[in-house]
Amino acid sequence: MKLATLNIGRDGELLVVSKDLTRAVRATDIAATLQQAIENWDSLAPKLDARYAQLNEGKAEGAFDLDQSALHSPLPRSYHWADGSAYLNHVKLVRQARNAEMPDTFWTDPLMYQGGGDSFLAPTEDIEAVSEEHGIDFEGEIAVITDDVPMNVTPEQAAGHIKLIMLVNDVSLRGLIPGELAKGFGFFQAKPASSFSPICVTPDELGDAWQEGKVHLPLTVHFNGEKFGEPQAGPDMIFSFPQLVAHAAKTRYLGAGAIVGSGTVSNPDPDGGPGKPVADGGVGYSCLAEIRMVEKILHDEVKTSFMRFGDRVRIEMFDGDGNNIFGTIDQRVVEYKPKA
């Protein structure tokens, strides 16, 4: 099943979207919003799935052509947005940027921070930034949405609480991160609003690509119209989504609609190297910080700048037949100007 949120009002209106992303139908008679649907998932999911089947068969009353630009992030806001860092190649490279060692515990205990869930960006909404000097970066990731998760669940139990999957652009301000981490209290100003793919899907929509709580497909990232990365999301994900959800719920309940992210998708070279750009025959990257570190490692010189006003990023994922699964995150960076 594929769901989306029409960008109307603060929490939007729930839509069911066809498998090929061309058609949609309102589902507000079942649940007004995705948040309401996820809070009552056991009783409402079968009704939404029946509507999904009708839509794909061309029998859904009130169906219309889908315009992805009219969609918000599936959850325009969330009670809980926690982002992990399950791809340790990314962690290793970014820590090199700060001349910081990677402790051995990183291989056994996931990194995770709690982001701001009060207001997400729409997937085609401009990214407003105060200053280019803040080191504006995109981060291509995957995230899951859970129902109510009890405290101290095991990963095996957590797997049953994962109801929906989507993509993320977890915007980072790299220039602010070192100073914040030096205080010993984590990210805050360095993590502005994130955006999510216009479509979220149930795990069964991924077929064999959903295995062991991971998405085994490449994540495609374009930067200013050029392919920037196509790393595989499955093999180098050290902690699965069930492990990440269990980590987030170790000492607290997660309310329905909690979002848990994977962290930046990242692959090393097959020979263990830091990864090559697409232009050099590699799979590239899902953020600018990585290519900057690889340039430093390989050439002792950083050539790539962080995002400038007017730069654009596009994040997508395609199945084995080339079909877009989650729709497209397509965002431009603009200078923040206070509204009158």
Side-chain angles (χ1 to χ4, degrees):
M1 176 166 54
K2 299 193 175 189
L3 302 173
T5 293
L6 194 62
N7 194 356
I8 295 176
R10 175 165 280 188
D11 294 305
E13 294 183 0
L14 182 62
L15 301 180
V16 175
V17 177
S18 64
K19 192 174 186 67
D20 63 4
L21 310 187
T22 62
R23 302 277 286 169
V25 62
R26 280 179 169 82
T28 49
D29 59 315
I30 300 173
T33 65
L34 181 59
Q35 180 64 37
Q36 184 181 350
I38 204 76
E39 287 175 357
N40 301 277
W41 191 255
D42 288 346
S43 62
L44 297 185
K47 298 177 182 178
L48 292 169
D49 197 43
R51 178 87 36 103
Y52 181 60
Q54 292 173 343
L55 180 61
N56 287 318
E57 293 167 2
K59 299 177 181 178
E61 185 177 347
F64 55 89
D65 292 340
L66 180 65
D67 175 10
Q68 291 189 31
S69 68
L71 302 179
H72 209 307
S73 288
L75 286 171
R77 54 179 174 165
S78 172
Y79 294 113
H80 207 122
W81 158 226
D83 197 18
S85 196
Y87 298 89
L88 293 193
N89 186 62
H90 171 76
V91 179
K92 179 180 178 181
L93 291 173
V94 172
R95 286 182 73 85
Q96 275 188 263
R98 304 198 303 268
N99 294 315
E101 295 293 325
M102 193 167 80
D104 291 340
T105 55
F106 281 20
W107 293 93
T108 57
D109 193 34
L111 288 170
M112 187 169 286
Y113 81 90
Q114 188 162 346
D118 55 326
S119 181
F120 298 130
L121 298 177
T124 57
E125 187 175 354
D126 288 341
I127 300 166
E128 294 181 312
V130 172
S131 171
E132 293 179 341
E133 299 305 311
H134 287 168
I136 310 158
D137 201 357
F138 55 84
E139 292 191 65
E141 308 182 8
I142 304 166
V144 298
I145 302 175
T146 74
D147 63 3
D148 288 302
V149 181
M151 183 164 50
N152 201 31
V153 292
T154 65
E156 292 74 22
Q157 293 167 332
H161 292 282
I162 294 171
K163 301 305 180 184
L164 295 163
I165 304 168
M166 55 189 176
L167 306 183
V168 192
N169 180 17
D170 180 42
V171 181
S172 290
L173 302 177
R174 302 289 186 187
L176 301 183
I177 288 176
E180 288 202 297
L181 292 183
K183 296 177 181 179
F185 219 53
F187 301 126
F188 194 86
Q189 293 175 342
K191 289 293 185 175
S194 299
S195 60
F196 296 83
S197 56
I199 315 296
C200 59
V201 311
T202 48
D204 63 286
E205 285 291 327
L206 299 177
D208 292 341
W210 178 250
Q211 296 181 30
E212 300 175 334
K214 305 175 185 180
V215 179
H216 291 265
L217 289 168
L219 183 71
T220 303
V221 179
H222 284 79
F223 181 49
N224 289 332
E226 300 290 332
K227 184 176 284 187
F228 184 80
E230 205 162 38
Q232 289 287 337
D236 297 304
M237 189 181 186
I238 304 303
F239 302 103
S240 68
F241 278 111
Q243 288 174 303
L244 292 174
V245 171
H247 179 82
K250 184 174 182 178
T251 60
R252 64 174 78 177
Y253 293 90
L254 302 183
I259 303 172
V260 178
S262 67
T264 306
V265 179
S266 179
N267 300 152
D269 286 333
D271 62 5
K276 295 188 182 74
V278 170
D280 294 339
V283 296
Y285 316 99
S286 299
C287 70
L288 293 168
E290 284 197 18
I291 193 171
R292 287 167 58 88
M293 289 308 96
V294 171
E295 290 169 348
K296 179 67 175 177
I297 293 166
L298 298 181
H299 309 295
D300 198 33
E301 180 185 4
V302 175
K303 301 177 181 178
T304 302
S305 66
F306 286 118
M307 297 182 84
R308 304 293 189 189
F309 299 140
D311 283 347
R312 185 178 293 275
V313 62
R314 190 167 86 242
I315 301 171
E316 300 160 299
M317 182 172 279
F318 301 91
D319 65 19
D321 296 322
N323 300 306
N324 193 325
I325 301 170
F326 301 96
T328 301
I329 298 173
D330 187 359
Q331 295 180 286
R332 182 183 56 139
V333 173
V334 299
E335 184 177 7
Y336 167 72
K337 296 185 184 301
K339 296 173 177 61

